[in-house]
Amino acid sequence: MTTMGIDPAQLSDEDLVRELRQLHATRSDTFFHGSDDALAMHTSRTNELESEYLRRVPDREVDPLRLREGARQR
């Protein structure tokens, strides 16, 4: 599937994070109310941007409470 938008590798770090935040903010609307094509495009673009972010920030901070052990402590 071909997605629209700038190649994630060409985005600045700031633009990449902004695009990811926007996609995450619109996910539920797209999931519940978008067409099948819109959902597929949204998913594809999110995957592209998330993959690029993880490539750039492989050692991102992980909140210990978001791990299984942290959830058990709650």
Side-chain angles (χ1 to χ4, degrees), residues 3-59:
T3 62
M4 296 178 6
I6 298 171
D7 178 351
Q10 302 302 314
L11 294 170
S12 68
D13 290 348
E14 182 179 296
D15 288 339
L16 178 61
V17 169
R18 180 180 45 78
E19 290 291 317
L20 279 166
R21 289 190 188 283
Q22 179 62 27
L23 280 169
H24 283 261
T26 60
R27 181 61 182 181
S28 63
D29 253 1
T30 304
F31 180 77
F32 287 111
H33 307 293
S35 67
D36 290 345
D37 287 343
L39 181 58
M41 188 66 68
H42 197 281
T43 300
S44 178
R45 184 63 173 169
T46 300
N47 288 339
E48 287 179 346
L49 294 171
E50 286 178 346
S51 294
E52 179 62 21
Y53 182 84
L54 292 174
R55 185 189 70 75
R56 291 184 194 187
V57 191
D59 296 323

